[in-house]
Amino acid sequence: MPNNDAHPNAVNQSLAVSKTDQYKTIKELFSKSRPNSSYYIMLLLSVLIIAPGLLINNTAIVIGGMLVTPILTPLLLLGLGIAVGEVRIISDVASLMLKSFSLILGVSFVMALLFGTHPTDVFAFNSNTQTVFAYFIVAIASGVAGALAFARKELSDVLPGIAIAVSLVPPLSLMGIWLSVFNMNLVRFYFIVFFLNLIGIVLGSLVVFALLKFNKSEKEIEKETKRTESANAMEKS
């Protein structure tokens, strides 16, 4: 007789992550999401690559900047925080993201003022509903792939590809560029693209961390949260 449990078992095995891998994932996400000087330096460098790339409409430069930006890891940590219901993680990452997005917007605004914007030359997304929702689907898939890549170490080679697929910095940078010439229609459009990408990445990672039962590692998460808070307090003092 056929084994009716074969398929469910195969699915369960594909989603199984050992406690050791869960601990490693949690530690790595916290480590790479610390709001220290290294994080902000890499973020600033990525904007200094992406914004000029957008201004001169050079896709290769924009892709290079997307590989540099460290913004994916905090978003995955935010998905983890929501999945396990850890308010401190959500609050800390939300604060970091607000500062990060402000930096991206501000630097892009200044770059546009310094070098000028020429509507026919600046990189542009197709401004239609289909494009927006296509990016939303890509963002969800990127969040799923990113969370899986961190949790399943054999998949870590795909992370550079995920970094390219995550379209967060370019639309936010374009908001700053078009804000410099008060083109509010394009600012609103790129905000929608940015916001849906943000929601998609967090949603995708949240689902993966929930399915992989990271909530059962709550003690390790609490330990890393306290360790991060202590490290941040020491840096501020």
Side-chain angles (χ1 to χ4, degrees), residues 4-5 7 52 54 59 104 107-109 111 121 138 155 158 160 171 179 183 198 206 208 219:
N4 294 328
D5 294 331
H7 180 65
L54 293 170
T59 304
I104 296 167
V107 171
S108 300
F109 179 85
M111 294 286 285
D121 296 333
V138 171
L155 301 176
V158 306
L179 191 62
N183 188 330
L198 175 64
L206 185 163
V208 171
K219 290 184 179 179

Side-chain angles (χ1 to χ4, degrees), residues 2-227:
N3 184 356
N4 294 328
D5 294 331
H7 180 65
N9 287 339
V11 173
N12 290 337
Q13 288 176 5
S14 68
L15 293 175
V17 175
S18 68
K19 282 291 183 183
T20 301
D21 283 342
Q22 284 190 352
Y23 295 159
K24 287 180 180 178
T25 300
I26 293 166
K27 188 171 183 178
E28 188 174 2
L29 286 175
F30 272 93
S31 175
K32 292 186 177 181
S33 302
R34 288 187 59 198
N36 52 24
S37 57
S38 297
Y39 172 87
Y40 284 111
I41 288 172
M42 294 307 294
L43 181 62
L44 177 60
L45 289 173
S46 72
V47 185
L48 291 175
I49 296 171
I50 290 173
L54 293 170
L55 286 167
I56 62 177
N57 195 8
N58 189 310
T59 304
I61 293 176
V62 174
I63 290 174
M66 291 164 75
L67 284 168
V68 173
T69 186
I71 213 163
L72 174 62
T73 312
L75 290 177
L76 296 179
L77 182 59
L78 180 59
L80 174 64
I82 297 172
V84 302
E86 182 56 64
V87 176
R88 283 180 294 181
I89 296 177
I90 298 171
S91 175
D92 290 346
V93 177
S95 176
L96 175 61
M97 289 295 93
L98 184 60
K99 293 174 184 176
S100 300
F101 297 153
S102 299
L103 176 65
I104 296 167
L105 196 65
V107 171
S108 300
F109 179 85
V110 172
M111 294 286 285
L113 289 178
L114 290 175
F115 298 104
T117 58
H118 304 282
T120 57
D121 296 333
V122 176
F123 179 90
F125 290 33
N126 292 328
S127 54
N128 55 58
T129 305
Q130 287 181 327
T131 299
V132 171
F133 282 99
Y135 275 104
F136 180 60
I137 293 171
V138 171
I140 294 174
S142 299
V144 170
L148 282 174
F150 268 92
R152 304 288 293 269
K153 300 306 177 186
E154 69 272 19
L155 301 176
S156 60
D157 289 345
V158 306
L159 284 171
I162 297 167
I164 295 172
V166 173
S167 298
L168 272 179
V169 180
L172 193 58
S173 190
L174 283 165
M175 282 176 60
I177 289 171
W178 291 116
L179 191 62
S180 70
V181 291
F182 301 104
N183 188 330
M184 301 313 295
N185 286 331
L186 284 177
V187 170
R188 281 192 293 269
F189 170 74
Y190 287 120
F191 173 77
I192 293 171
V193 174
F194 157 76
F195 183 72
L196 286 179
N197 271 272
L198 175 64
I199 296 299
I201 294 165
V202 174
L203 180 62
S205 61
L206 185 163
V207 170
V208 171
F209 289 129
L211 288 174
L212 295 180
K213 301 178 180 178
F214 270 72
N215 59 306
K216 293 186 177 181
S217 300
E218 57 184 9
K219 290 184 179 179
E220 186 69 18
I221 292 171
E222 289 177 3
K223 184 172 70 175
E224 289 297 331
T225 302
K226 291 178 181 178
R227 185 180 298 170

